[in-house]
Amino acid sequence: MILKPQKNIAELIGETPPYLFENADKIIFNQSDTEIPLYKSFQSFDKENFTDLLKILSTLGSLNLANKLNSNEKNYFLGEKVRIRKISYNQPSGSLSAKITSQLENIQKGRALIEVVDEKTKIFQMEIDYFIIDEPSFKKIFDSHYSAGENNPLTTVLPNSSFEYVSDDEFNINIDVFTRNHCSGHFNNYEIVPAVFMGKCILKNIFKTHPDSNTEIDNMEIFLNKAMPVNTAFKVNIKTQNLSKSLKKYKCTVSDSNNEYGHYFITLKNLFLN
């Protein structure tokens, strides 16, 4: 019997460079907890760049679940729900690390539990629930998103967006189309906008309403029920609510002219208000 060579874990998820971060194929996961250095400080993920942290953590969760599946076949890991909250009142210092524990409910559902820590303190707790879809099923489900051809060069500049005032506690963000170049390496040949890229557009516009540097993300939740296609103009309706003097909540609903894709719930904290 001829045995197939064991694939690297990074080959078993639906992400490739440039979306997949550098040296992802070098990570060795334990069967229990794994701690991964991020080589960046908390300040690197400030404001809309917070979604860069979510991107790294969600990929680490996918890789860890792929390791737990102990299969040599490729699967796609689609985030169903994402929750992250800040749990430290201390100012983070030094480089961050991610401590990852994954749980498999079955071969189609899993969860990653992630703690983001600095040199001394737990900074964030994160949970990501995944749908796990084998390659033949993924191709069938997302056939309408398929486009032949190799990866395009990555476009890192976000699509243009505009702010539309509705009332004192409601506004819209109109976002121009994401192209295939924006999503290069994300589910190769399947033109789907990553949730973190949409989140970055949303946060960028929300932080425009907070021009001072005293506001940070306290918690964030993402619930998506439909894949967001490229070459589509999106509208994000945002309703705000003051939870306290220092906390403000944003309910962000993503849609286009025909479909609703899901919700982002974001709470910002003003560090100098009690």
Side-chain angles (χ1 to χ4, degrees):
M1 181 174 64
I2 300 175
L3 297 177
K4 293 182 179 179
Q6 183 66 36
K7 292 182 179 178
N8 185 282
I9 294 298
E11 299 178 76
L12 301 177
I13 66 173
E15 301 171 15
T16 60
Y19 186 84
L20 184 66
F21 57 80
E22 188 177 1
N23 293 325
D25 58 333
K26 303 294 193 300
I27 298 174
I28 298 175
F29 290 92
N30 302 320
Q31 285 303 314
S32 54
D33 294 353
T34 300
E35 183 168 352
I36 308 295
L38 302 180
Y39 303 110
K40 291 186 177 182
S41 67
F42 177 73
Q43 289 70 30
S44 301
F45 303 112
D46 191 30
K47 300 189 183 300
E48 68 265 22
N49 294 328
F50 188 73
T51 57
D52 296 341
L53 177 62
L54 299 188
K55 176 177 175 289
I56 294 169
L57 298 180
S58 62
T59 297
L60 289 173
S62 299
L63 291 168
N64 203 20
L65 282 169
N67 182 60
K68 280 192 172 295
L69 279 172
N70 198 26
S71 168
N72 208 29
E73 301 301 322
K74 184 176 181 178
N75 288 279
Y76 289 77
F77 296 80
L78 278 68
E80 175 192 11
K81 293 179 287 186
V82 177
R83 308 176 185 90
I84 185 166
R85 64 189 183 99
K86 195 165 188 284
I87 60 172
S88 173
Y89 293 102
N90 298 324
Q91 184 66 24
S93 61
S95 294
L96 301 180
S97 296
K99 294 182 177 180
I100 307 161
T101 304
S102 294
Q103 303 171 345
L104 276 174
E105 180 178 334
N106 51 51
I107 62 172
Q108 295 179 322
K109 294 206 73 174
R111 171 177 292 176
L113 307 173
I114 304 173
E115 293 179 346
V116 179
V117 302
D118 65 6
E119 296 172 343
K120 301 176 182 178
T121 312
K122 295 177 185 177
I123 308 299
F124 288 99
Q125 285 183 335
M126 184 174 184
E127 296 180 13
I128 314 174
D129 292 353
Y130 297 88
F131 287 120
I132 305 170
I133 306 177
D134 62 66
E135 191 167 25
S137 299
F138 184 90
K139 289 180 176 180
K140 183 180 295 186
I141 294 169
F142 294 99
D143 178 68
S144 62
H145 293 272
Y146 181 79
S147 178
E150 298 182 0
N151 274 355
N152 290 356
L154 179 66
T155 298
T156 57
V157 178
L158 292 173
N160 291 327
S161 58
S162 60
F163 186 95
E164 179 185 350
Y165 177 86
V166 178
S167 69
D168 289 346
D169 56 7
E170 183 178 357
F171 58 93
N172 295 320
I173 300 169
N174 298 300
I175 301 174
D176 288 353
V177 300
F178 286 87
T179 67
R180 185 176 180 182
N181 296 46
H182 285 103
C183 310
S184 185
H186 180 256
F187 302 153
N188 275 355
N189 300 111
Y190 292 86
E191 300 182 332
I192 297 171
V193 177
V196 292
F197 289 0
M198 178 61 68
K200 193 163 195 171
C201 288
I202 293 171
L203 284 174
K204 183 177 181 179
N205 282 274
I206 287 177
F207 275 109
K208 285 180 180 178
T209 68
H210 295 270
D212 58 72
S213 59
N214 304 329
T215 305
E216 68 176 17
I217 295 170
D218 184 75
N219 62 74
M220 186 171 180
E221 298 180 85
I222 303 172
F223 301 88
L224 295 180
N225 50 39
K226 193 176 180 67
M228 295 180 288
V230 300
N231 300 322
T232 300
F234 295 101
K235 173 174 279 190
V236 185
N237 175 257
I238 300 180
K239 293 182 172 67
T240 67
Q241 180 183 4
N242 291 312
L243 302 179
S244 68
K245 286 184 179 180
S246 61
L247 293 174
K248 190 168 187 177
K249 185 173 184 178
Y250 298 78
K251 178 185 177 184
C252 314
T253 303
V254 181
S255 63
D256 61 18
S257 56
N258 298 307
N259 302 288
E260 182 178 290
Y261 295 94
H263 306 277
Y264 293 69
F265 296 91
I266 301 163
T267 301
L268 300 186
K269 182 176 183 178
N270 189 305
L271 300 176
F272 297 137
L273 294 177
N274 295 317

